[in-house]
Amino acid sequence: MNEELKFLSRQAALGTISRRKFLGRAGALGVTAAAANTMLAGAVHAEGPQKGGTLRIGLQGGSTTDSLDPALATNTTAVNLIRMWGEPLVELTDDGGLQGKVAESFEASADAKTWTFTIRKGITFSNGQEVTAADAAAMLDRHSGEESKSGALGLLRDIKNVSTNGRDVIVELNNGNADLPYLMSDYHLIVQPNGGKDAPDAAIGTGPYIMKEVDMGVRFVAEKNPNYWGDIGHAETIEMLVINDNTARVAALQSGQVDIIDRVPPRTAGLVSRAPGITVASTAGPGHYVFIAHVNTAPFDNPDLMMALKYGINRQEMVDKILFGYGSVGNDSPINAAYPMYTEMEQREYDPDKAAEYFKKSGHEGPVLLRTSDNSFPGAPDAAALFQQSLKAAGIELEIKREPNDGYWSEVWNNKPFCTSYWGGRSTQDQMFTTAYLSTADWNDTRYKSESFDKLLIAARAELDQDKRKSMYADMGMMVRNEGGLICPMFNDFVDAYTDKLGGWVEGVAGFSLMNGYAAQRMWVTG
């Protein structure tokens, strides 16, 4: 039986028989579906990547108002798109470490105030132009300039000077930062010709694919870059479809319109996983679904009203009814156990009596307006309705306004004072706090501005004693939790799904969904 299964698994890996036929034969031989899938995955990896074919991917989050400029990327569609044509200086490894991309190596001075990134020799952009240290230096200058609209601006504000020496890019900081290379892995910081200053939306980079068709918010087609330096990019063509509707995206996978999708709705993930020829992959991580309020805007500048809202949300109910087990309870902090220096905090529980007490103390009258959309996170309108019901028990009226999916990330998020949103998380606490909670960060979407928080964040970057640094991050987490505009009821698993036409999925990859946005490049068409 073992020899027959080995033979059949190899045939399935090569695409000469279907996954369904293999699983059927394995079942007839008394092998469970889980064991058969494990055997098949091993056979696919043993055979190695197959070259050629068209890989089709369906994504949620895209909008007609998006841009190809990586500085302006705000959603998962943009991240996956950027990964096709561009690369940062460094990137996360599967286990959350660091590996060189455009930079082949990096090292720090003893005080971590000066970092040197050495550009990979002989690497070229997709237009054939050789990549230089000057291109990388210009990229950092563009994203850190005072007029920059980059989502990475907050990460780079501590840069004192950038210079070049041959293939080296030398970054001098005002303060030591042991995590600087992690910041350089941010998906906005794509190395482009002259840093993207001349044509930021030209989609010219060092990635494995070259953009051929662009219909923003609808469809993208990319073809393999014949001069790509790396070992990913197996399909000849990648077609990316923006399918924001959850039901339509799942139906596209099941009908064979696409081969892989992100954001499988937790409500239907179990059902999807039982469909023939489809695998649902769930990865725990730092992603979180949230309600964000601008604490510098009335009525959310009232600390008592904010505390009323925080005590008036039933987090466990959200996890049960929105995530259906694909996630965990949040605690009004963006940090969870996925981060290496996480410190557990006392869980804030749903307490309608406390919520009512704080609401009365706030003096606020009338309803509180919340904006939401399916595009903010899967099940967001349903989550808003649950929030409305839990607040009702405290005598607080929540008015819900459902916004169009298209334009949500440009017109609502980071613009309107109270809305549903999501964060994919970041690789370190410093990166998460710097991106979204530093007073000067462009993506400070709760408008939390605290001088004491900023000072503590900067001090933690240079602290070499790991126990002290962990304690400092714990203090920052408590400050955000108690003073900020983040209401975080849940940390979501990344739930993706792919068909048996693809091989090469790797479990537990750190970063964002879809293998940190690299699934389309790292997977291959099996037949």
Side-chain angles (χ1 to χ4, degrees), residues 445-465:
D445 58 6
T446 59
R447 305 298 191 269
Y448 175 64
K449 298 185 178 182
S450 166
E451 184 178 348
S452 56
F453 177 90
D454 293 350
K455 288 181 178 178
L456 191 58
L457 177 60
I458 292 169
R461 293 172 182 166
E463 179 55 63
L464 299 180
D465 185 311

Side-chain angles (χ1 to χ4, degrees), residues 92-133:
L92 297 181
T93 59
D94 288 352
D95 61 1
L98 287 171
Q99 60 183 330
K101 280 291 190 177
V102 175
E104 65 182 13
S105 63
F106 47 91
E107 61 179 0
S109 60
D111 60 2
K113 282 188 176 182
T114 302
W115 284 86
T116 301
F117 296 84
T118 301
I119 301 302
R120 196 175 294 276
K121 188 175 182 179
I123 190 173
T124 61
F125 292 113
S126 56
N127 64 359
Q129 177 182 330
E130 185 175 356
V131 181
T132 67

Side-chain angles (χ1 to χ4, degrees), residues 325-336:
Y326 291 96
S328 58
V329 171
N331 202 13
D332 301 336
S333 165
I335 307 302
N336 67 352

Side-chain angles (χ1 to χ4, degrees), residues 342-361:
Y342 170 71
T343 299
E344 189 172 355
M345 298 182 289
E346 181 182 356
Q347 179 64 49
R348 178 173 284 148
E349 301 288 353
Y350 173 52
D351 191 329
D353 292 333
K354 276 190 178 181
E357 180 183 336
Y358 276 107
F359 187 70
K360 182 178 180 180
K361 187 179 177 182

Side-chain angles (χ1 to χ4, degrees), residues 19-37:
R19 176 176 178 270
R20 182 186 302 183
K21 184 174 181 179
F22 167 72
L23 292 177
R25 183 57 185 159
L29 293 172
V31 178
T32 65
N37 274 316

Side-chain angles (χ1 to χ4, degrees), residues 158-194:
D158 203 39
I159 292 179
K160 180 180 180 181
N161 185 58
V162 178
S163 60
T164 63
N165 181 17
R167 291 191 292 122
D168 291 340
V169 180
I170 303 159
V171 181
E172 299 174 65
L173 306 174
N174 291 309
N175 304 278
N177 189 344
D179 286 344
L180 183 71
Y182 282 97
L183 304 187
M184 294 297 106
S185 71
D186 187 275
Y187 59 85
H188 299 93
L189 301 178
I190 300 303
V191 180
Q192 299 171 269
N194 195 27

